[in-house]
Amino acid sequence: MPVDHFSFSVEDTFKLRYLINDDWQKESNAPIFFYTGNEGNIEIFAENTGLMWESAPEFGALLVFAEHRYYGDSMPYGNKSYSDGKYLGYLTSQQALGDYIDLIQYLKSTPQTRLSPVIVFGGSYGGMLSAWIRMKYPHIIQGAIAASAPILQLSGAVECDSFARIVAMDFKMAHPNCPKLIQRSWSTITNVTSSDKGKQWLSDNWKLCEPLKNETHIKQLKDYLQDIYSNLAMVDYPYKANFLAPLPAYPVNAVCKHLTNESLTGTDLLTAIHKAINVYTNYTGETKCLNLNDSTPQLDAVGWNYQACTEMVMPTCSNGINDMFEAAPWNFDEYAKDCEKKYSVKPQPNLACEQYGCAFLSTATNIVFSNGLLDPWTAGGIVRNLSSSAIAIIIPEGAHHLDLRSSDANDPYSVVLARKYHRFFIRQWIKEYPLIQGSMGN
């Protein structure tokens, strides 16, 4: 791949990794089902996107999972990729879409695939990429399944505390005392760790890999807990799963079973909180100690913080009243200072909306936007039809891109129905494709 798709002066190239499966591709010009990889190793997404695998036999499709540049093994400058801004600056969604278009053109360069319709799939940031690639390259991409794609979170039109409110709602549905105790735990952590003895107690009892020594460590612990609660709400699937972490069915319920006694305070409360988060951090019993540096080590999503500091600025906040977190207002100036300190870059919060459109998407076609009401990212998702063929599907009992996952006996009917809609639209797009090609003179 070219490192820079939009320049005639940068001639550097790199190898982009992709996974391909042709078990069901029997005919010429078979559909290509293409996963627009997001922030992490591509294997994770191939293993957790059963919808594509289950649909491929029906459509005789070729399956392709493309890895996003700067993640997994797709490093434009090898070990130097993250060492300096001059190497890291090519980590953008626009460049990633350029990679995917080049790969698709390469895959379609044989006589057997020249007229293959391309249907893209993606979840979360990958879902945003699927929607955007259809919008930007409709002459190459025939349709898109964009699951749990919070593209409106970028626009500033979404209330910044909406994500936190949905997280709290999920925990309240599991048990009404659960979010109350989590809310109480923040001040309890502050009080207990105000002394060296308290820091030592928490470090020992929670089996932290690195003991708490100062205020920075306490903030890191709280940020880690907030990430865990948010992740639990996202992956509150109705069966055992291993996406962000190995988890039981309905993990939010499993967590809240430890947080029902409203009278808990002090170290008793923190002991219960530790048991609760153990559902996420040590469900398998194999974790030796708690590493506060990364709440999703399986994803290997180290580059996302850089993207969030450049074009993927998604304002989030909490007020501690309508949610279960400490009050944390959104302050763009502070956010920007932090980004400049970390990466020597200035965030461009309007860039993605300028590139792809956020509030003005009425011209979008052939996209299914699906969102689950258990998923906190639904707050920034498309939940109303944009046009006659840019459709919104709501999954009341669905967590984060549950509809992309493999079918399971415990699936709620709403997600079974959503997958039927996906296949209906895919069938329609493929049927329309020869007519489009004919009108273009191909």
Side-chain angles (χ1 to χ4, degrees):
M1 288 295 166
V3 167
D4 188 350
H5 289 278
F6 312 109
S7 164
F8 291 95
S9 60
V10 178
E11 296 181 359
D12 298 348
T13 60
F14 73 103
K15 289 185 177 180
L16 186 89
R17 184 166 62 140
Y18 66 97
L19 312 177
I20 190 162
N21 182 292
D22 62 359
D23 285 358
W24 299 283
Q25 181 197 18
K26 302 295 184 231
E27 298 177 7
S28 291
N29 300 318
I32 296 172
F33 286 1
F34 189 99
Y35 187 91
T36 51
N38 27 337
E39 71 285 22
N41 291 306
I42 193 57
E43 293 97 334
I44 294 284
F45 301 104
E47 290 164 2
N48 288 276
T49 311
L51 175 70
M52 287 174 65
W53 296 94
E54 291 176 2
S55 303
E58 177 185 345
F59 293 97
L62 175 70
L63 294 181
V64 182
F65 293 84
E67 190 161 73
H68 195 298
R69 57 169 55 203
Y70 289 89
Y71 295 101
D73 291 341
S74 299
M75 293 292 164
Y77 292 102
N79 293 336
K80 295 190 295 184
S81 297
Y82 281 86
S83 65
D84 192 286
K86 68 181 178 183
Y87 300 126
L88 192 51
Y90 301 101
L91 171 50
T92 69
S93 62
Q94 297 99 310
Q95 297 285 5
L97 295 186
D99 293 339
Y100 299 155
I101 290 299
D102 274 16
L103 174 54
I104 288 165
Q105 300 290 54
Y106 166 72
L107 293 168
K108 292 188 69 171
S109 64
T110 70
Q112 290 78 27
T113 55
R114 190 173 70 87
L115 297 178
S116 290
V118 179
I119 311 296
V120 291
F121 297 72
S124 196
Y125 170 51
M128 297 163 81
L129 294 174
S130 285
W132 290 338
I133 201 170
R134 165 62 189 171
M135 292 175 197
K136 274 188 92 74
Y137 302 96
H139 55 297
I140 296 171
I141 307 301
Q142 177 61 3
I145 304 294
S148 301
I151 58 179
L152 298 183
Q153 197 80 32
L154 298 161
S155 66
V158 176
E159 292 180 10
C160 65
D161 68 339
S162 52
F163 181 98
R165 288 204 310 261
I166 296 174
V167 174
M169 178 195 74
D170 289 353
F171 281 76
K172 188 175 183 179
M173 280 167 35
H175 195 284
N177 289 340
C178 190
K180 292 178 186 175
L181 290 167
I182 291 171
Q183 173 66 261
R184 187 182 299 161
S185 73
W186 305 114
S187 58
T188 306
I189 289 171
T190 302
N191 293 339
V192 167
T193 59
S194 61
S195 68
D196 289 342
K197 185 180 178 183
K199 289 187 187 75
Q200 190 64 51
W201 177 89
L202 200 151
S203 301
D204 292 344
N205 279 268
W206 283 31
K207 297 179 181 173
L208 303 185
C209 297
E210 299 289 333
L212 301 171
K213 296 289 187 186
N214 51 45
E215 289 300 313
T216 303
H217 291 163
I218 307 304
K219 184 181 185 308
Q220 186 183 19
L221 171 66
K222 288 182 174 181
D223 289 346
Y224 178 77
L225 289 172
Q226 186 161 329
D227 282 350
I228 285 177
Y229 298 137
S230 300
N231 290 345
L232 282 160
M234 284 166 56
V235 296
D236 197 22
Y237 299 135
Y239 47 76
K240 279 187 182 183
N242 186 10
F243 179 40
L244 301 182
L247 291 169
Y250 290 116
V252 171
N253 286 355
V255 164
C256 287
K257 281 177 183 173
H258 299 283
L259 299 172
T260 60
N261 181 354
E262 197 175 4
S263 66
L264 288 174
T265 57
T267 54
D268 288 340
L269 172 58
L270 296 191
T271 299
I273 290 283
H274 179 240
K275 286 178 183 173
I277 65 162
N278 245 18
V279 171
Y280 183 92
T281 60
N282 198 16
Y283 179 60
T284 60
E286 294 171 6
T287 305
K288 302 291 184 241
C289 62
L290 208 56
N291 179 3
L292 304 183
N293 291 317
D294 191 357
S295 63
T296 55
Q298 287 178 254
L299 265 189
D300 191 21
V302 64
W304 183 253
N305 289 334
Y306 177 81
Q307 288 192 262
C309 272
T310 52
E311 58 174 347
M312 292 295 148
V313 180
M314 298 188 180
T316 55
C317 65
S318 53
N319 60 19
I321 300 166
N322 299 320
D323 53 66
M324 59 186 205
F325 301 109
E326 287 188 295
W330 170 250
N331 185 322
F332 176 73
D333 291 336
E334 288 296 319
Y335 185 88
K337 277 182 195 171
D338 193 40
C339 289
E340 287 202 60
K341 186 178 171 184
K342 282 181 188 170
Y343 300 108
S344 302
V345 294
K346 289 184 178 178
Q348 295 188 44
N350 301 318
L351 181 60
C353 288
E354 288 166 2
Q355 284 285 324
Y356 310 114
C358 285
F360 304 101
L361 296 172
S362 58
T363 58
T365 59
N366 288 17
I367 305 172
V368 174
F369 294 96
S370 58
N371 285 282
L373 295 186
L374 297 181
D375 180 15
W377 287 116
T378 291
I382 302 290
V383 294
R384 293 182 180 86
N385 294 352
L386 298 176
S387 68
S388 59
S389 66
I391 304 298
I393 291 177
I394 303 298
I395 306 167
E397 304 96 337
H400 202 46
H401 49 69
L402 174 61
D403 48 321
L404 287 190
R405 298 178 61 79
S406 298
S407 299
D408 188 276
N410 296 301
D411 279 331
Y413 179 65
S414 59
V415 79
V416 174
L417 197 57
R419 294 187 188 118
K420 286 182 179 177
Y421 274 111
H422 291 332
R423 292 188 181 102
F424 169 82
F425 285 108
I426 291 167
R427 202 174 297 114
Q428 191 168 302
W429 298 333
I430 291 171
K431 189 177 176 183
E432 291 168 356
Y433 186 68
L435 302 175
I436 296 166
Q437 290 300 301
S439 68
M440 293 170 67
N442 287 337

